[in-house]
Amino acid sequence: MKEGRRGVESLVAARRTLRASLEKSRALGAALARAGPRLDEIRQRLPSLEAAVRPIRADRGALGAAGGHIDRAVGPAAAVLKVFDAVHGLERSLLADPRVDLFGYLSVLKRLEEALRFLCENCGLAVQWLDDIVEYLDDHSLADPRFIEALKASLDSLKPSPPALDGGLLATALDKLESQFRRLLADHTVPLQMPSDTVGVPAIAPSPIPVSVINKLRAILERTTANDRLDRCISIYVDVRGSNVCASLRALDLEYLEITPAEFNGVQSIEGYIQKWCRHLEFAIKHLFEAEFKVCIEVFERAGPRDVALSCFAEIAAHAGMLAFLRFGKTVTETRKDPIKLLKLLDIFATLNRLRLDFNRIFGGKACADIQNQTRDLIKRVIDGACEIFWELLHQVELQRQMPPPSDGAVPKLVTFVTDYCNKLLCEEHLPVLTQVLIINGSWKKEKFQDSLLTDAILDIFKALEANFETWSKSYEDIPLSYLFAMNTHWHFYKNLNGTKLGELLGEAKLKEHEQYKDYYAAYFLRESWGKLPSLLSREGLILFSGGRGKARDLVKQRLKAFNKSFDEMYRKQSTWVISDKELREKLCHLIVQAIVPSYWSYMQNYGPLVEQDASASKYAKYTAQSLENMLSTLFLHKPGRTMSLDVRHSNGKLNSVMTSMSRSASTVT
């Protein structure tokens, strides 16, 4: 029984073993079925794998000989690849904002430049070494020909022009630096606060850009210059700083600089603009352009030759309106000639001369050639124009001699204008300038300047004016009016020249002569006019006893009638005459009153009762002594609107604009 049981157990165990073996066989079959495709794939790749490993199938000796060549070729290539990896390691830092740490950013950029320089210098060498080893492998049949051809194709693609090894990282970094350059300039560039009055403005302040910012700008320029992009920073600088100077100048209201000759009649219509121009130009040079010049030098002094800074400044100056200032000056020189224009040209020259050293320093470089040329042209135009007007003055005064004198006996406006004008030329403001202008103009003509040339010319002008006066005095048909005119003008010469530069030039004796002539003609005026009236009130034949009263009354009536008629005619005529000087007018009126009123009063006291009782008394006793005095005291008052016509014509028939302008401008000359 026991043995049978053991047999059954053995069979069961055998069945289990058999079943387990069967399951393993099934699993192995399934695994083999799954591995079939992979084995097919391996079988297909075997030829290429065989080709790939074929180079190492050469014999050991041949491979040993090639080892040294391979090591020498792979060494430079490995170094290039190492640097190339380093370039990509800088990418994160250079794509960041340079504002965070500008100098750190510049340091990283410099490392990139050095890496790229290394790659540019060594990539070609590495390619050449690799090319040599490939040729060696090909020549000694140490590798599969297909493998060799693939290597040659790859190396040939690197030979003509290696691709950008940084993927454009350097260009991107430089773009960021240029943006930072603009940002730094914009943040520290503000228009200058312009004063309401540019006269007496204190000296220019230090550079408006802090030193720390200047250093940052210089550092950026150093890197952009090293990468041939300086011109782009210059464009940015000109744009930002030039716009700032323009904004500063706009506060001065410089629209008048664009005025054209067609927009005005003469220099007097823009006289105020010329005064502004002188102040504005001086302010612009000493405060705006001077400051901008200094900043340009500070920023660009390390970016290359000094010409870089000067060229940059020249662009700013031209962009900001320096040429507009010069064009306006040229416009003034193109206006028609008149004496006021001479004074304005002297003002322009004085301004340019004061700024000469500043001009030479600021605009002295080759880059400012256009400004230099236009400035020289303006100076020549100013000097030539001023000299032309000055030397023509004598001729213009002489041309007035043919004109009639004032109908009211007043001082001619020409006399007033020329005397005041000559004093202006001789004043401290204009005399040195005019002298310098004449000296320069003479030097251009190779003429030697005589010290007395200017004063002699002015004396000649005054002598011509005196000759005009003498001619006009003799042209009056009314003798008393000619005496009044002479008295007026001689007194004007004495009073208005005494204590002046022209008076000093003429001398005290000459002035005294005019004063004496004034008294001389005043006496003749009285004798030939009002001095004749008292004789009409003769006492001859007036007998007041009873038998002769009737005859005496008739004589008194006749004489009073003749007196009244002569008085009325003389008063009516002389009421249109003028003595502009109050002192002279009051003095002459007083002399007339003294010549007439006492005699009239005495006559009326003695003989007035003869006619006062008559029915027609008002016809003869027309005036009282007081009414006569009141009337005579109002003589010779200036009547507004009366002027002497001074329009004359040149020999060519054209209107003499110079002396016509004298008449128009006389009232404006002080």
Side-chain angles (χ1 to χ4, degrees), residues 388-406:
E388 184 179 359
I389 295 174
F390 178 74
W391 292 121
E392 195 176 345
L393 287 174
L394 174 61
H395 177 61
Q396 299 304 327
V397 171
E398 291 172 342
L399 285 175
Q400 304 306 304
R401 202 166 297 163
Q402 61 185 303
M403 297 305 297

Side-chain angles (χ1 to χ4, degrees), residues 412-552:
K413 282 191 175 294
L414 179 69
V415 171
T416 303
F417 178 82
V418 171
T419 52
D420 290 347
Y421 188 78
C422 288
N423 270 318
K424 277 188 169 290
L425 294 180
L426 291 169
C427 72
E428 294 181 0
E429 178 183 357
H430 292 123
L431 181 61
V433 181
L434 180 55
T435 301
Q436 187 175 3
V437 165
L438 294 175
I439 291 174
I440 294 173
N441 186 257
S443 68
W444 292 344
K445 299 176 181 178
K446 308 299 182 182
E447 299 173 352
K448 186 177 180 181
F449 181 80
Q450 302 293 331
D451 292 340
S452 62
L453 181 66
L454 175 56
T455 53
D456 287 347
I458 292 178
L459 283 175
D460 288 342
I461 292 172
F462 185 78
K463 289 176 182 177
L465 184 64
E466 286 184 314
N468 288 5
F469 160 59
E470 294 296 335
T471 301
W472 292 333
S473 296
K474 296 174 182 177
S475 66
Y476 284 102
E477 295 181 359
D478 190 308
I479 299 304
L481 181 57
S482 71
Y483 292 153
L484 180 80
F485 172 74
M487 177 194 65
N488 255 335
T489 307
H490 279 297
W491 178 247
H492 175 83
F493 283 144
Y494 172 75
K495 184 175 182 180
N496 289 276
L497 295 180
N498 192 23
T500 67
K501 295 293 184 181
L502 181 57
E504 293 176 8
L505 191 62
L506 292 170
E508 186 176 351
K510 183 68 174 178
L511 296 182
K512 284 291 184 181
E513 183 180 319
H514 283 296
E515 184 184 27
Q516 292 168 359
Y517 272 120
K518 180 266 297 183
D519 294 334
Y520 172 82
Y521 284 110
Y524 266 85
F525 171 78
L526 282 172
R527 190 184 72 180
E528 296 297 323
S529 58
W530 298 101
K532 294 180 178 182
L533 265 62
S535 64
L536 298 176
L537 299 175
S538 172
R539 299 170 185 261
E540 183 180 354
L542 295 178
I543 302 174
L544 298 181
F545 55 86
S546 59
R549 291 182 67 86
K551 183 179 179 180

Side-chain angles (χ1 to χ4, degrees), residues 282-301:
E282 189 163 359
F283 183 84
I285 294 297
K286 290 185 173 294
H287 295 267
L288 288 178
F289 292 118
E290 174 77 15
E292 205 55 52
F293 178 76
K294 290 182 177 180
V295 174
C296 273
I297 297 299
E298 290 175 354
V299 172
F300 289 96
E301 65 178 351

Side-chain angles (χ1 to χ4, degrees), residues 237-256:
Y237 188 93
V238 170
D239 179 42
V240 175
R241 299 295 298 181
S243 298
N244 181 66
V245 176
C246 287
S248 298
L249 288 175
R250 277 196 296 271
L252 294 177
D253 189 17
L254 300 179
E255 292 183 1
Y256 68 88

Side-chain angles (χ1 to χ4, degrees), residues 245-246 249 254 256-259 277 281 284-285 289 313-331 352 359 363 367-378:
V245 176
C246 287
L249 288 175
L254 300 179
Y256 68 88
L257 293 180
E258 303 302 327
I259 196 170
W277 181 89
L281 177 62
I285 294 297
F289 292 118
F313 171 72
E315 289 190 50
I316 291 175
H319 175 69
M322 184 61 215
L323 295 178
F325 275 104
L326 299 176
R327 284 194 299 270
F328 178 83
K330 180 181 178 181
T331 298
L352 293 173
F359 259 90
F363 303 113
C368 295
D370 192 19
I371 294 177
Q372 295 168 23
N373 292 335
Q374 292 199 36
T375 302
R376 281 192 292 268
D377 178 66
L378 174 58

Side-chain angles (χ1 to χ4, degrees), residues 27 33 39 80 86 158 166 197 203 214 298 312 335 346 350 396 408 420 453 538 545 573 605 652:
L39 292 174
V80 167
L158 298 176
D166 64 343
D197 186 0
I214 293 287
E298 290 175 354
C312 184
T335 60
L346 294 180
Q396 299 304 327
D408 56 9
D420 290 347
L453 181 66
S538 172
F545 55 86
K573 180 171 61 175
Q605 283 289 104
N652 60 9

